[in-house]
Coordinates of all heavy atoms in Angstrom, one line a residue:
M709 N 0.8 -1.2 0.0 CA 0.0 0.0 0.0 C 0.9 1.3 0.0 O 0.6 2.2 -0.7 CB -0.9 0.0 1.2 CG -2.0 1.0 1.2 SD -3.1 0.7 -0.2 CE -4.1 2.1 -0.2
K710 N 1.9 1.2 0.8 CA 2.9 2.4 0.9 C 3.4 2.7 -0.5 O 3.6 3.8 -0.8 CB 4.0 2.1 1.9 CG 3.8 2.6 3.3 CD 5.0 2.4 4.1 CE 4.8 2.9 5.5 NZ 5.9 2.5 6.4
L711 N 3.7 1.6 -1.2 CA 4.4 1.8 -2.5 C 3.4 2.5 -3.5 O 3.8 3.4 -4.3 CB 4.8 0.4 -3.1 CG 5.7 0.5 -4.3 CD1 7.0 1.2 -4.0 CD2 5.9 -1.0 -4.8
Y712 N 2.1 2.1 -3.4 CA 1.1 2.8 -4.3 C 1.0 4.3 -4.0 O 0.9 5.1 -4.9 CB -0.3 2.1 -4.1 CG -0.4 0.7 -4.7 CD1 -0.5 -0.4 -3.9 CD2 -0.4 0.5 -6.1 CE1 -0.6 -1.6 -4.4 CE2 -0.5 -0.7 -6.6 CZ -0.6 -1.8 -5.8 OH -0.6 -3.1 -6.3
V713 N 1.1 4.6 -2.7 CA 1.0 6.0 -2.3 C 2.2 6.7 -2.8 O 2.2 7.8 -3.3 CB 0.9 6.1 -0.7 CG1 1.0 7.6 -0.3 CG2 -0.4 5.5 -0.2
M714 N 3.4 6.1 -2.6 CA 4.7 6.7 -3.1 C 4.6 7.0 -4.6 O 5.0 8.0 -5.0 CB 5.8 5.7 -2.8 CG 7.2 6.3 -2.9 SD 8.4 5.0 -2.8 CE 8.6 4.5 -4.5
I715 N 4.1 6.0 -5.3 CA 4.1 6.2 -6.8 C 3.1 7.3 -7.1 O 3.4 8.1 -8.0 CB 3.6 4.8 -7.5 CG1 4.8 3.8 -7.3 CG2 3.4 5.1 -9.0 CD1 4.4 2.4 -7.8
S716 N 2.0 7.4 -6.4 CA 1.0 8.4 -6.7 C 1.7 9.8 -6.4 O 1.5 10.7 -7.2 CB -0.2 8.3 -5.8 OG -0.8 7.0 -5.9
D717 N 2.4 9.9 -5.3 CA 3.1 11.1 -4.9 C 4.1 11.6 -6.0 O 4.1 12.7 -6.4 CB 3.8 11.0 -3.6 CG 2.8 11.0 -2.4 OD1 1.6 11.3 -2.7 OD2 3.2 10.6 -1.3
L718 N 4.8 10.6 -6.5 CA 5.8 10.9 -7.6 C 5.1 11.4 -8.8 O 5.6 12.3 -9.5 CB 6.6 9.6 -7.9 CG 7.7 9.2 -6.9 CD1 8.3 7.8 -7.3 CD2 8.8 10.2 -6.8
Y719 N 4.0 10.7 -9.2 CA 3.2 11.1 -10.4 C 2.7 12.5 -10.2 O 2.8 13.3 -11.2 CB 2.0 10.1 -10.6 CG 1.2 10.4 -11.8 CD1 1.7 10.1 -13.1 CD2 -0.1 10.9 -11.6 CE1 0.9 10.4 -14.2 CE2 -0.9 11.2 -12.7 CZ -0.4 11.0 -14.0 OH -1.1 11.3 -15.1
V720 N 2.1 12.8 -9.1 CA 1.6 14.2 -8.8 C 2.8 15.2 -8.9 O 2.6 16.3 -9.4 CB 0.9 14.2 -7.4 CG1 0.6 15.7 -7.1 CG2 -0.4 13.4 -7.5
A721 N 4.0 14.8 -8.5 CA 5.1 15.7 -8.6 C 5.7 15.8 -10.0 O 6.7 16.5 -10.2 CB 6.2 15.2 -7.6
G722 N 5.1 15.1 -10.9 CA 5.5 15.2 -12.3 C 6.5 14.2 -12.8 O 7.0 14.4 -13.9
E723 N 6.8 13.2 -12.0 CA 7.8 12.2 -12.4 C 7.2 11.2 -13.3 O 6.0 11.0 -13.3 CB 8.3 11.5 -11.1 CG 9.0 12.3 -10.1 CD 10.4 12.7 -10.5 OE1 11.1 12.0 -11.2 OE2 10.9 13.8 -10.1
N724 N 8.1 10.6 -14.1 CA 7.7 9.5 -15.0 C 7.7 8.2 -14.1 O 8.7 7.7 -13.7 CB 8.6 9.3 -16.1 CG 8.2 8.2 -17.1 OD1 7.3 7.5 -16.8 ND2 8.8 8.2 -18.3
V725 N 6.5 7.7 -13.9 CA 6.4 6.5 -13.0 C 6.0 5.2 -13.7 O 5.6 4.2 -13.1 CB 5.3 6.7 -11.9 CG1 5.7 7.9 -11.0 CG2 3.9 7.0 -12.5
T726 N 6.2 5.2 -15.1 CA 5.9 4.1 -15.9 C 6.5 2.8 -15.4 O 5.8 1.8 -15.2 CB 6.2 4.4 -17.4 OG1 5.7 5.6 -17.7 CG2 5.7 3.3 -18.3
K727 N 7.8 2.9 -15.1 CA 8.5 1.6 -14.7 C 8.0 1.1 -13.4 O 7.6 -0.1 -13.2 CB 10.0 1.9 -14.6 CG 10.8 0.6 -14.4 CD 12.3 0.9 -14.4 CE 12.8 1.5 -13.2 NZ 14.3 1.7 -13.1
L728 N 7.9 2.0 -12.4 CA 7.4 1.6 -11.0 C 6.0 1.1 -11.1 O 5.7 0.1 -10.5 CB 7.5 2.8 -10.1 CG 8.9 3.0 -9.4 CD1 8.8 4.3 -8.5 CD2 9.2 1.8 -8.5
A729 N 5.1 1.8 -11.8 CA 3.7 1.4 -11.9 C 3.6 0.1 -12.6 O 2.8 -0.8 -12.1 CB 2.9 2.5 -12.7
S730 N 4.4 -0.2 -13.6 CA 4.4 -1.5 -14.3 C 4.8 -2.6 -13.4 O 4.2 -3.7 -13.3 CB 5.2 -1.4 -15.5 OG 4.9 -0.4 -16.4
M731 N 5.9 -2.3 -12.6 CA 6.4 -3.3 -11.6 C 5.3 -3.6 -10.6 O 5.1 -4.7 -10.2 CB 7.6 -2.7 -10.9 CG 8.9 -2.7 -11.8 SD 10.2 -1.9 -10.9 CE 11.6 -2.4 -11.8
C732 N 4.6 -2.5 -10.1 CA 3.6 -2.7 -9.1 C 2.4 -3.5 -9.6 O 1.9 -4.4 -8.9 CB 3.1 -1.3 -8.8 SG 3.2 -0.9 -7.1
K733 N 2.0 -3.2 -10.9 CA 0.9 -4.0 -11.5 C 1.3 -5.4 -11.6 O 0.5 -6.3 -11.3 CB 0.5 -3.3 -12.8 CG -0.7 -4.0 -13.4 CD -1.1 -3.5 -14.7 CE -2.3 -4.2 -15.3 NZ -2.0 -5.6 -15.5
L734 N 2.5 -5.7 -12.1 CA 2.9 -7.0 -12.3 C 2.9 -7.8 -11.0 O 2.4 -8.9 -10.8 CB 4.3 -7.0 -12.9 CG 5.0 -8.4 -13.1 CD1 4.3 -9.2 -14.2 CD2 6.5 -8.2 -13.4
K735 N 3.6 -7.2 -10.0 CA 3.7 -7.8 -8.6 C 2.3 -8.0 -8.0 O 2.0 -9.1 -7.4 CB 4.6 -7.0 -7.7 CG 4.8 -7.6 -6.4 CD 5.7 -8.8 -6.5 CE 5.8 -9.5 -5.1 NZ 6.5 -10.8 -5.3
G736 N 1.4 -7.0 -8.1 CA 0.1 -7.0 -7.5 C -0.7 -8.2 -8.1 O -1.4 -8.9 -7.4
G737 N -0.6 -8.3 -9.5 CA -1.4 -9.4 -10.2 C -0.9 -10.8 -9.8 O -1.7 -11.6 -9.5
R738 N 0.4 -10.9 -9.7 CA 1.0 -12.2 -9.3 C 0.6 -12.6 -7.9 O 0.3 -13.7 -7.6 CB 2.5 -12.2 -9.5 CG 2.9 -12.2 -11.0 CD 4.4 -12.2 -11.1 NE 4.8 -12.4 -12.5 CZ 6.1 -12.4 -12.9 NH1 7.0 -12.1 -12.1 NH2 6.4 -12.7 -14.2
L739 N 0.7 -11.6 -7.0 CA 0.4 -11.8 -5.6 C -1.1 -12.2 -5.4 O -1.4 -13.1 -4.7 CB 0.7 -10.5 -4.8 CG 0.8 -10.7 -3.3 CD1 1.9 -11.7 -2.9 CD2 1.1 -9.3 -2.7
A740 N -2.0 -11.5 -6.2 CA -3.4 -11.8 -6.1 C -3.7 -13.2 -6.5 O -4.5 -13.9 -6.0 CB -4.2 -10.7 -6.9
R741 N -3.0 -13.6 -7.6 CA -3.2 -15.0 -8.1 C -2.7 -16.0 -7.0 O -3.4 -17.0 -6.8 CB -2.4 -15.2 -9.4 CG -3.0 -14.5 -10.5 CD -2.0 -14.3 -11.6 NE -1.6 -15.5 -12.3 CZ -0.8 -15.5 -13.4 NH1 -0.4 -14.4 -13.9 NH2 -0.5 -16.6 -13.9
Q742 N -1.6 -15.7 -6.4 CA -1.0 -16.6 -5.4 C -2.0 -16.7 -4.2 O -2.3 -17.8 -3.7 CB 0.3 -16.1 -5.0 CG 1.4 -17.1 -4.7 CD 2.7 -16.5 -4.3 OE1 2.9 -15.3 -4.6 NE2 3.5 -17.2 -3.7
V743 N -2.4 -15.6 -3.7 CA -3.3 -15.5 -2.5 C -4.6 -16.2 -2.7 O -5.0 -17.1 -1.9 CB -3.5 -14.1 -2.0 CG1 -4.5 -14.0 -0.9 CG2 -2.2 -13.5 -1.5
T744 N -5.3 -15.9 -3.9 CA -6.6 -16.5 -4.1 C -6.5 -18.0 -4.4 O -7.4 -18.7 -4.0 CB -7.3 -15.8 -5.3 OG1 -6.4 -15.7 -6.4 CG2 -7.7 -14.4 -4.9
D745 N -5.4 -18.4 -5.0 CA -5.2 -19.8 -5.3 C -5.0 -20.6 -3.9 O -5.6 -21.6 -3.7 CB -3.9 -20.0 -6.1 CG -3.7 -21.5 -6.6 OD1 -4.6 -21.9 -7.4 OD2 -2.8 -22.1 -6.1
S746 N -4.2 -20.0 -3.0 CA -4.0 -20.6 -1.7 C -5.3 -20.7 -0.9 O -5.6 -21.7 -0.3 CB -3.0 -19.8 -0.9 OG -1.8 -19.9 -1.5
C747 N -6.1 -19.6 -1.0 CA -7.4 -19.6 -0.3 C -8.4 -20.6 -0.9 O -9.0 -21.4 -0.1 CB -8.1 -18.2 -0.4 SG -7.3 -16.9 0.5
L748 N -8.4 -20.8 -2.2 CA -9.3 -21.8 -2.8 C -8.8 -23.2 -2.4 O -9.7 -24.0 -2.0 CB -9.2 -21.6 -4.3 CG -10.4 -22.3 -5.1 CD1 -10.7 -21.5 -6.3 CD2 -10.1 -23.7 -5.4
Q749 N -7.5 -23.4 -2.4 CA -7.0 -24.7 -2.0 C -7.4 -25.0 -0.5 O -7.7 -26.1 -0.2 CB -5.5 -24.7 -2.2 CG -4.8 -26.0 -2.0 CD -5.1 -27.0 -3.1 OE1 -5.5 -26.6 -4.2 NE2 -5.0 -28.3 -2.8
F750 N -7.3 -24.0 0.3 CA -7.6 -24.1 1.7 C -9.1 -24.6 1.9 O -9.4 -25.4 2.7 CB -7.3 -22.8 2.5 CG -7.7 -22.8 3.9 CD1 -6.9 -23.4 4.9 CD2 -8.9 -22.3 4.3 CE1 -7.2 -23.4 6.2 CE2 -9.3 -22.3 5.7 CZ -8.5 -22.8 6.6
W751 N -9.9 -24.0 1.1 CA -11.4 -24.3 1.2 C -11.7 -25.6 0.6 O -12.8 -26.1 0.7 CB -12.2 -23.2 0.5 CG -12.5 -22.0 1.5 CD1 -11.6 -21.1 1.8 CD2 -13.7 -21.7 2.2 NE1 -12.1 -20.2 2.7 CE2 -13.4 -20.6 2.9 CE3 -14.9 -22.3 2.2 CZ2 -14.4 -20.0 3.7 CZ3 -15.9 -21.7 3.0 CH2 -15.7 -20.6 3.7
G752 N -10.8 -26.2 -0.2 CA -11.0 -27.5 -0.8 C -12.2 -27.4 -1.8 O -12.4 -26.4 -2.5
G753 N -13.0 -28.5 -1.9 CA -14.1 -28.6 -2.9 C -15.1 -27.5 -2.7 O -15.6 -27.0 -3.7
M754 N -15.3 -27.1 -1.4 CA -16.2 -26.0 -1.2 C -15.8 -24.7 -1.8 O -16.6 -23.9 -2.4 CB -16.3 -25.8 0.4 CG -17.5 -25.0 0.8 SD -19.0 -25.9 0.4 CE -20.2 -24.6 0.5
G755 N -14.4 -24.5 -1.8 CA -13.9 -23.3 -2.4 C -14.1 -23.2 -3.9 O -14.1 -22.1 -4.5
Y756 N -14.3 -24.4 -4.5 CA -14.5 -24.5 -6.0 C -16.0 -24.1 -6.4 O -16.2 -23.8 -7.5 CB -14.2 -25.9 -6.4 CG -14.0 -26.1 -7.9 CD1 -12.9 -25.7 -8.5 CD2 -15.0 -26.8 -8.6 CE1 -12.8 -25.8 -9.9 CE2 -14.9 -27.0 -10.0 CZ -13.8 -26.5 -10.6 OH -13.6 -26.7 -12.0
T757 N -16.9 -24.1 -5.4 CA -18.3 -23.9 -5.7 C -18.6 -22.4 -5.7 O -17.9 -21.6 -5.3 CB -19.2 -24.6 -4.7 OG1 -19.1 -23.9 -3.4 CG2 -18.9 -26.0 -4.5
N758 N -19.8 -22.1 -6.3 CA -20.3 -20.7 -6.3 C -20.9 -20.3 -5.0 O -21.3 -19.2 -4.8 CB -21.3 -20.5 -7.4 CG -20.7 -20.4 -8.8 OD1 -19.5 -20.0 -8.8 ND2 -21.4 -20.8 -9.8
E759 N -20.9 -21.2 -4.0 CA -21.6 -20.9 -2.7 C -20.7 -20.0 -1.8 O -21.2 -19.5 -0.8 CB -22.0 -22.2 -2.0 CG -23.2 -22.8 -2.7 CD -23.4 -24.2 -2.1 OE1 -23.4 -24.3 -0.8 OE2 -23.6 -25.1 -2.9
V760 N -19.4 -20.0 -2.1 CA -18.5 -19.2 -1.3 C -17.8 -18.1 -2.2 O -17.7 -18.3 -3.4 CB -17.4 -20.0 -0.6 CG1 -18.0 -20.9 0.5 CG2 -16.6 -20.8 -1.6
L761 N -17.4 -17.0 -1.5 CA -16.8 -15.9 -2.3 C -15.4 -16.2 -2.9 O -15.0 -15.6 -3.8 CB -16.7 -14.7 -1.4 CG -17.9 -13.7 -1.4 CD1 -17.6 -12.5 -0.5 CD2 -18.0 -13.1 -2.9
V762 N -14.8 -17.2 -2.2 CA -13.4 -17.5 -2.7 C -13.3 -17.8 -4.2 O -12.4 -17.3 -4.8 CB -12.9 -18.8 -1.8 CG1 -11.6 -19.3 -2.4 CG2 -12.7 -18.4 -0.4
S763 N -14.2 -18.6 -4.7 CA -14.2 -18.9 -6.1 C -14.4 -17.6 -7.0 O -13.8 -17.5 -8.1 CB -15.2 -19.9 -6.5 OG -16.5 -19.5 -6.2
R764 N -15.2 -16.7 -6.5 CA -15.4 -15.4 -7.2 C -14.1 -14.6 -7.2 O -13.7 -14.1 -8.2 CB -16.6 -14.7 -6.5 CG -16.8 -13.3 -7.0 CD -17.8 -13.2 -8.1 NE -17.8 -12.0 -8.8 CZ -18.6 -11.0 -8.6 NH1 -19.6 -11.1 -7.7 NH2 -18.5 -9.9 -9.3
F765 N -13.5 -14.5 -6.1 CA -12.2 -13.8 -6.0 C -11.1 -14.4 -6.9 O -10.4 -13.7 -7.5 CB -11.7 -13.7 -4.5 CG -12.5 -12.8 -3.6 CD1 -12.8 -13.1 -2.4 CD2 -12.9 -11.5 -4.1 CE1 -13.5 -12.3 -1.5 CE2 -13.7 -10.7 -3.3 CZ -14.0 -11.1 -2.0
F766 N -11.1 -15.7 -6.9 CA -10.2 -16.5 -7.7 C -10.3 -16.1 -9.2 O -9.3 -15.8 -9.8 CB -10.4 -18.0 -7.5 CG -9.4 -18.8 -8.3 CD1 -8.1 -19.1 -7.8 CD2 -9.8 -19.4 -9.5 CE1 -7.3 -19.9 -8.6 CE2 -9.0 -20.2 -10.2 CZ -7.7 -20.4 -9.8
R767 N -11.5 -16.0 -9.6 CA -11.8 -15.6 -11.0 C -11.6 -14.1 -11.3 O -10.9 -13.7 -12.2 CB -13.2 -16.0 -11.4 CG -13.4 -15.9 -12.9 CD -14.9 -15.9 -13.3 NE -15.6 -14.8 -12.6 CZ -16.9 -14.7 -12.4 NH1 -17.6 -15.8 -12.7 NH2 -17.4 -13.7 -11.9
D768 N -12.2 -13.3 -10.4 CA -12.2 -11.9 -10.6 C -10.8 -11.3 -10.5 O -10.4 -10.4 -11.3 CB -13.1 -11.2 -9.6 CG -14.6 -11.4 -10.0 OD1 -14.8 -12.0 -11.0 OD2 -15.4 -10.8 -9.3
L769 N -10.0 -11.7 -9.5 CA -8.7 -11.1 -9.3 C -7.7 -11.6 -10.4 O -6.6 -11.0 -10.6 CB -8.1 -11.4 -7.9 CG -8.8 -10.6 -6.8 CD1 -8.3 -10.9 -5.4 CD2 -8.6 -9.1 -7.0
R770 N -8.1 -12.6 -11.1 CA -7.2 -13.1 -12.2 C -7.1 -12.0 -13.3 O -6.1 -12.0 -14.0 CB -7.9 -14.4 -12.8 CG -7.1 -15.2 -13.7 CD -5.9 -15.8 -13.0 NE -5.1 -16.6 -13.9 CZ -4.3 -16.0 -14.8 NH1 -4.2 -14.7 -14.9 NH2 -3.5 -16.8 -15.6
L771 N -8.1 -11.1 -13.3 CA -8.1 -10.0 -14.3 C -6.9 -9.1 -14.1 O -6.4 -8.5 -15.1 CB -9.4 -9.2 -14.2 CG -9.6 -8.2 -15.3 CD1 -9.7 -8.8 -16.7 CD2 -10.8 -7.4 -15.0
M772 N -6.4 -9.0 -12.9 CA -5.2 -8.1 -12.7 C -4.0 -8.5 -13.6 O -3.3 -7.6 -13.9 CB -4.8 -8.2 -11.2 CG -5.5 -7.3 -10.3 SD -4.9 -7.3 -8.6 CE -3.5 -6.2 -8.8
S773 N -3.9 -9.7 -13.9 CA -2.7 -10.2 -14.7 C -3.0 -10.1 -16.2 O -2.2 -10.5 -17.0 CB -2.3 -11.6 -14.3 OG -1.6 -11.5 -13.1
I774 N -4.3 -9.7 -16.5 CA -4.7 -9.7 -17.9 C -5.1 -8.3 -18.4 O -4.6 -7.8 -19.4 CB -5.9 -10.7 -18.2 CG1 -5.4 -12.1 -17.9 CG2 -6.4 -10.6 -19.6 CD1 -6.6 -13.1 -17.9
G775 N -6.0 -7.7 -17.6 CA -6.6 -6.4 -18.0 C -5.6 -5.3 -18.0 O -4.6 -5.3 -17.3
A776 N -5.8 -4.3 -18.9 CA -5.0 -3.1 -19.0 C -3.5 -3.4 -19.3 O -2.6 -2.8 -18.8 CB -5.1 -2.2 -17.7
G777 N -3.3 -4.5 -20.0 CA -1.9 -5.0 -20.3 C -1.6 -6.2 -19.5 O -1.5 -6.1 -18.3
A778 N -1.4 -7.3 -20.2 CA -1.1 -8.6 -19.5 C 0.3 -8.5 -18.8 O 1.1 -7.6 -19.1 CB -1.2 -9.8 -20.5
D779 N 0.5 -9.5 -17.9 CA 1.8 -9.5 -17.2 C 3.0 -9.5 -18.2 O 4.0 -8.8 -17.9 CB 1.9 -10.8 -16.4 CG 1.2 -10.8 -15.1 OD1 0.6 -9.7 -14.8 OD2 1.3 -11.7 -14.3
E780 N 2.9 -10.2 -19.3 CA 4.0 -10.2 -20.3 C 4.2 -8.8 -20.9 O 5.3 -8.5 -21.2 CB 3.6 -11.2 -21.4 CG 3.6 -12.7 -21.0 CD 2.4 -13.1 -20.3 OE1 1.4 -12.3 -20.1 OE2 2.3 -14.3 -19.8
V781 N 3.1 -8.1 -21.0 CA 3.3 -6.7 -21.5 C 4.0 -5.8 -20.5 O 4.9 -5.0 -20.8 CB 1.9 -6.1 -21.9 CG1 2.0 -4.7 -22.4 CG2 1.2 -7.0 -23.0
M782 N 3.6 -6.0 -19.2 CA 4.3 -5.3 -18.1 C 5.8 -5.6 -18.2 O 6.6 -4.7 -18.0 CB 3.7 -5.7 -16.8 CG 2.3 -5.2 -16.5 SD 2.1 -3.4 -16.7 CE 1.0 -3.4 -18.2
L783 N 6.1 -6.9 -18.4 CA 7.5 -7.3 -18.4 C 8.3 -6.6 -19.5 O 9.4 -6.1 -19.3 CB 7.6 -8.8 -18.5 CG 7.4 -9.6 -17.3 CD1 7.3 -11.1 -17.6 CD2 8.5 -9.4 -16.2
S784 N 7.6 -6.5 -20.7 CA 8.3 -5.8 -21.8 C 8.4 -4.3 -21.6 O 9.4 -3.7 -22.0 CB 7.7 -6.2 -23.2 OG 6.4 -5.9 -23.2
V785 N 7.4 -3.7 -20.9 CA 7.5 -2.3 -20.6 C 8.7 -2.1 -19.6 O 9.5 -1.2 -19.8 CB 6.2 -1.7 -20.0 CG1 6.4 -0.3 -19.4 CG2 5.1 -1.8 -21.0
I786 N 8.8 -2.9 -18.6 CA 9.9 -2.8 -17.6 C 11.2 -2.9 -18.3 O 12.2 -2.2 -18.1 CB 9.7 -3.8 -16.5 CG1 8.4 -3.5 -15.7 CG2 10.9 -3.8 -15.5 CD1 7.9 -4.6 -14.8
C787 N 11.3 -4.0 -19.1 CA 12.6 -4.2 -19.9 C 13.0 -3.0 -20.7 O 14.1 -2.6 -20.8 CB 12.5 -5.4 -20.8 SG 12.6 -7.0 -19.9
K788 N 12.0 -2.4 -21.4 CA 12.2 -1.3 -22.2 C 12.8 -0.1 -21.4 O 13.7 0.5 -21.8 CB 10.9 -0.9 -23.0 CG 11.1 -0.6 -24.4 CD 9.8 -0.2 -25.1 CE 9.3 -1.3 -25.9 NZ 8.0 -1.0 -26.5
M789 N 12.1 0.1 -20.3 CA 12.5 1.2 -19.4 C 13.9 1.0 -18.8 O 14.6 2.0 -18.5 CB 11.5 1.4 -18.3 CG 10.0 1.7 -18.7 SD 9.8 3.2 -19.5 CE 10.0 4.5 -18.3
M790 N 14.2 -0.3 -18.6 CA 15.5 -0.6 -18.0 C 16.6 -0.8 -19.1 O 17.8 -1.1 -18.8 CB 15.4 -1.8 -17.1 CG 14.6 -1.6 -15.9 SD 14.4 -3.1 -14.9 CE 16.0 -3.2 -14.1
D791 N 16.2 -0.6 -20.4 CA 17.0 -0.8 -21.5 C 17.7 -2.2 -21.5 O 18.9 -2.3 -21.9 CB 18.2 0.3 -21.5 CG 18.6 0.7 -22.9 OD1 17.9 0.3 -23.8 OD2 19.7 1.3 -23.0
I792 N 16.9 -3.2 -21.2 CA 17.4 -4.6 -21.2 C 16.5 -5.5 -22.1 O 16.5 -6.7 -21.9 CB 17.5 -5.2 -19.8 CG1 16.2 -5.1 -19.0 CG2 18.7 -4.6 -19.1 CD1 16.3 -5.8 -17.7
L793 N 15.7 -4.8 -23.0 CA 14.8 -5.6 -23.9 C 15.7 -6.4 -24.8 O 16.6 -5.9 -25.5 CB 14.0 -4.6 -24.7 CG 12.7 -5.2 -25.4 CD1 11.7 -5.7 -24.4 CD2 12.1 -4.2 -26.3
P794 N 15.4 -7.8 -24.8 CA 16.3 -8.6 -25.7 C 16.2 -8.1 -27.2 O 15.1 -7.8 -27.6 CB 15.7 -10.0 -25.5 CG 14.9 -9.9 -24.3 CD 14.4 -8.5 -24.1
M795 N 17.3 -8.1 -27.8 CA 17.3 -7.6 -29.2 C 17.7 -8.8 -30.1 O 18.3 -9.7 -29.7 CB 18.4 -6.6 -29.4 CG 18.2 -5.3 -28.7 SD 16.8 -4.4 -29.4 CE 16.5 -3.2 -28.2
P796 N 17.2 -8.8 -31.4 CA 17.6 -9.8 -32.3 C 19.1 -9.8 -32.6 O 19.7 -8.7 -32.5 CB 16.8 -9.5 -33.6 CG 16.3 -8.1 -33.4 CD 16.3 -7.7 -32.0
P797 N 19.7 -10.9 -32.8 CA 21.2 -10.9 -33.0 C 21.6 -10.0 -34.2 O 20.8 -10.0 -35.2 CB 21.5 -12.4 -33.2 CG 20.2 -13.0 -33.5 CD 19.1 -12.2 -32.9
K798 N 22.7 -9.4 -34.1 CA 23.2 -8.5 -35.2 C 23.6 -9.4 -36.3 O 24.2 -10.5 -36.1 CB 24.3 -7.6 -34.7 CG 23.9 -6.5 -33.9 CD 25.0 -5.6 -33.5 CE 24.5 -4.5 -32.6 NZ 25.5 -3.9 -31.7
K799 N 23.3 -8.9 -37.6 CA 23.7 -9.7 -38.8 C 25.3 -9.6 -38.9 O 25.8 -8.5 -38.8 CB 23.0 -9.1 -40.0 CG 21.6 -9.6 -40.1 CD 21.0 -9.0 -41.4 CE 19.5 -9.3 -41.3 NZ 18.7 -8.5 -42.2
I800 N 25.9 -10.8 -39.2 CA 27.3 -10.8 -39.5 C 27.5 -10.6 -41.0 O 26.9 -11.2 -41.8 CB 27.9 -12.1 -39.0 CG1 27.6 -12.3 -37.5 CG2 29.4 -12.2 -39.3 CD1 27.8 -13.7 -37.1
K801 N 28.4 -9.6 -41.3 CA 28.6 -9.3 -42.7 C 29.7 -10.2 -43.3 O 30.6 -10.6 -42.6 CB 29.0 -7.8 -42.9 CG 27.8 -6.9 -42.7 CD 28.2 -5.5 -42.9 CE 27.0 -4.6 -42.5 NZ 27.4 -3.2 -42.5
Ligands
FAD1720 C1 -13.6 -7.9 -17.5 C2 -12.8 -7.1 -18.4 C3 -12.9 -5.7 -18.4 C4 -12.2 -5.0 -19.3 N1 -12.4 -3.6 -19.3 C5 -11.8 -2.8 -20.2 C6 -12.0 -1.4 -20.2 O1 -12.7 -0.9 -19.4 N2 -11.3 -0.7 -21.1 C7 -10.5 -1.2 -22.0 O2 -9.9 -0.5 -22.8 N3 -10.2 -2.6 -22.0 C8 -10.9 -3.4 -21.2 N4 -10.6 -4.8 -21.2 C9 -9.7 -5.3 -22.1 C10 -8.4 -5.6 -21.5 O3 -7.6 -4.5 -21.3 C11 -7.7 -6.6 -22.4 O4 -8.4 -7.9 -22.2 C12 -6.2 -6.8 -22.1 O5 -5.5 -5.6 -22.5 C13 -5.6 -8.0 -22.7 O6 -5.8 -8.0 -24.1 P1 -6.5 -9.2 -24.8 O7 -7.7 -9.7 -24.0 O8 -6.7 -8.8 -26.2 O9 -5.4 -10.3 -24.7 P2 -4.2 -10.6 -25.7 O10 -3.5 -9.3 -26.0 O11 -4.7 -11.4 -26.8 O12 -3.3 -11.4 -24.8 C14 -3.6 -12.8 -24.5 C15 -2.3 -13.3 -23.8 O13 -1.2 -13.3 -24.7 C16 0.0 -12.9 -24.1 N5 0.5 -11.7 -24.6 C17 -0.2 -10.6 -25.1 N6 0.7 -9.7 -25.5 C18 1.9 -10.1 -25.3 C19 3.2 -9.6 -25.5 N7 3.4 -8.4 -26.1 N8 4.3 -10.4 -25.2 C20 4.1 -11.6 -24.7 N9 2.9 -12.2 -24.4 C21 1.8 -11.4 -24.7 C22 -0.4 -12.8 -22.6 O14 -0.1 -14.0 -21.9 C23 -1.9 -12.5 -22.6 O15 -2.5 -12.9 -21.4 C24 -11.3 -5.6 -20.3 C25 -11.2 -7.0 -20.2 C26 -11.9 -7.7 -19.4 C27 -11.7 -9.2 -19.4

């Protein structure tokens, strides 16, 4: 939560927060998947049904890693900002 506030402050101050925001979205999505998966596993068969909210969270929070740019897109944005995007090999003359 502190990180989100820090990024918002930087953004308001006029900084370019693309790299940090992409990192945050990537981490947030992965964490949400991990947490909801563990919760569903904990609930067992009951967690798989529509009778409990766990299955709803499992599906809904999955969107974090897809919507507004999938995790893979976040990774390429981060790589670009860090100037470590893999390049095709140079042609040998
Ligand atoms: C419930 C919901 C609400 C939405 N609301 C909105 C909205 O309000 N406004 C809006 O504009 N859009 C909205 N979207 C669209 C959403 O932003 C897109 O679904 C999202 O950007 C992913 O694009 P896509 O579905 O075309 O998947 P694709 O681009 O086809 O991606 C499919 C998969 O391919 C892989 N992939 C994609 N690109 C790359 C890449 N460059 N490198 C490596 N792998 C890659 C990833 O694994 C990705 O998960 C919504 C989607 C959903 C499901």
Side-chain angles (χ1 to χ4, degrees):
M709 191 65 188
K710 262 187 184 171
L711 192 61
Y712 289 110
V713 174
M714 191 189 90
I715 293 173
S716 309
D717 287 348
L718 286 172
Y719 180 73
V720 170
E723 298 285 331
N724 183 349
V725 295
T726 307
K727 186 174 79 176
L728 271 179
S730 305
M731 286 174 165
C732 239
K733 183 182 177 302
L734 177 70
K735 184 68 188 171
R738 286 178 170 179
L739 195 61
R741 285 158 71 173
Q742 218 178 339
V743 169
T744 51
D745 186 69
S746 296
C747 290
L748 197 149
Q749 188 69 21
F750 176 81
W751 275 76
M754 197 64 199
Y756 193 75
T757 70
N758 282 336
E759 286 171 46
V760 291
L761 265 179
V762 167
S763 60
R764 171 92 199 257
F765 288 139
F766 181 79
R767 190 195 63 201
D768 286 0
L769 287 176
R770 193 65 182 74
L771 187 63
M772 272 187 82
S773 287
I774 297 170
D779 279 4
E780 290 79 4
V781 176
M782 292 305 111
L783 281 171
S784 56
V785 170
I786 295 163
C787 282
K788 224 180 256 178
M789 302 295 291
M790 293 177 77
D791 211 16
I792 53 171
L793 194 65
M795 294 289 168
K798 281 181 185 160
K799 282 181 189 161
I800 303 166
K801 286 179 186 172

